[in-house]
Amino acid sequence: MRLAALQQENWLILHDVDSLCDDATAYQPGPALFDGAAWRRREQVVGEAPGRGESLFLQAGHEQWVLRPYRRGGLVARVCEKRYAWSGAERTRAFRELRLTADLFDRGLPVPRPVAAGVKRLGLCYEAALITVRIDGARALASRLSEGSADDALLERVGEMIARFHETGLDHVDLNARNILVDGDGTPWLIDFDRCRLRTSGRWQEGNLARLARSVAKFSSAPGVAMDAISAGYANAS
């Protein structure tokens, strides 16, 4: 994946040059790319994802994209929902997440292809958004667990997938059933790499799995059985 950075006024944009270009007939890197209202006016918003941030599904030519603005959670969101302290473009959450996602994508791991990260600098603060390609036919593992359609074979594949990421060194700090997607072929994917990083093996891997177990318990009627299947897949892949 070839990444390029550019600046337009107070916007800094990091993008995949194979997804965006300066050709007037193609989608171009610029602030308008991250303007959800502009996409709505063009009637190119085809859906929205649940959860914090109001992510939009966009029809971008022959494929669909996911536009996800960065939003704070917890008590701090009551004071400042969208802004973060500025300490340089490469240290913004959007740039870091896009570079990490591109790295994982280049390694052949099941992650959505990144398109662009946009950072709007506002003095000592910034706002940001990320665009990735939407995974065709994907649904959250949380939904599959809630409706009881996540069988042992699928859950074992989820465990195998997590093991692949751990072997690569990915510490996913928010590994939960909503951030694991299952496509129409039953293949699991991992999303949302905000604040994640690559590191050497350690106890953080157990911490990832423990976090996932707590999430599974919220959606599954038999969380112990579900985690046993995930753990079996994880062990078989390790």
Side-chain angles (χ1 to χ4, degrees), residues 219-231:
F219 301 103
S220 174
S221 59
V225 175
M227 279 308 300
D228 283 346
I230 291 173
S231 298

Side-chain angles (χ1 to χ4, degrees), residues 16-54:
D16 169 33
V17 298
D18 294 320
S19 299
L20 305 173
C21 67
D22 293 330
D23 186 335
T25 63
Y27 291 94
Q28 302 178 34
L33 202 65
F34 306 95
D35 186 348
W39 286 93
R40 288 187 186 279
R41 288 192 296 272
R42 295 192 299 268
E43 298 183 346
Q44 290 177 279
V45 174
V46 295
E48 299 183 27
R52 187 177 75 246
E54 300 178 351

Side-chain angles (χ1 to χ4, degrees), residues 78-157:
R78 299 180 183 179
V79 179
C80 185
E81 181 187 18
K82 300 189 298 182
R83 295 189 179 184
Y84 300 84
W86 173 262
S87 58
E90 290 299 332
R91 299 187 66 179
T92 60
R93 293 169 74 153
F95 272 41
R96 292 174 68 175
E97 182 173 359
L98 187 136
R99 288 199 183 280
L100 175 58
T101 307
D103 186 0
L104 297 171
F105 181 85
D106 285 341
R107 294 171 188 247
L109 289 162
V111 302
R113 178 167 59 84
V115 175
V119 175
K120 182 180 182 181
R121 186 174 179 185
L122 302 165
L124 298 178
C125 300
Y126 73 90
E127 297 177 359
L130 184 75
I131 297 176
T132 57
V133 173
R134 186 181 184 185
I135 300 167
D136 188 38
R139 296 176 59 209
L141 177 62
S143 298
R144 298 287 298 266
L145 290 168
S146 295
E147 67 185 23
S149 65
D151 59 19
D152 284 354
L154 169 58
L155 295 172
E156 288 178 12
R157 290 196 296 273

Side-chain angles (χ1 to χ4, degrees), residues 56-77:
L56 301 179
F57 298 140
L58 314 174
Q59 190 65 50
H62 66 281
E63 62 186 9
Q64 291 186 5
W65 293 346
V66 181
L67 169 60
R68 191 186 87 223
Y70 284 80
R71 295 288 188 272
R72 291 183 179 274
L75 295 176
V76 70

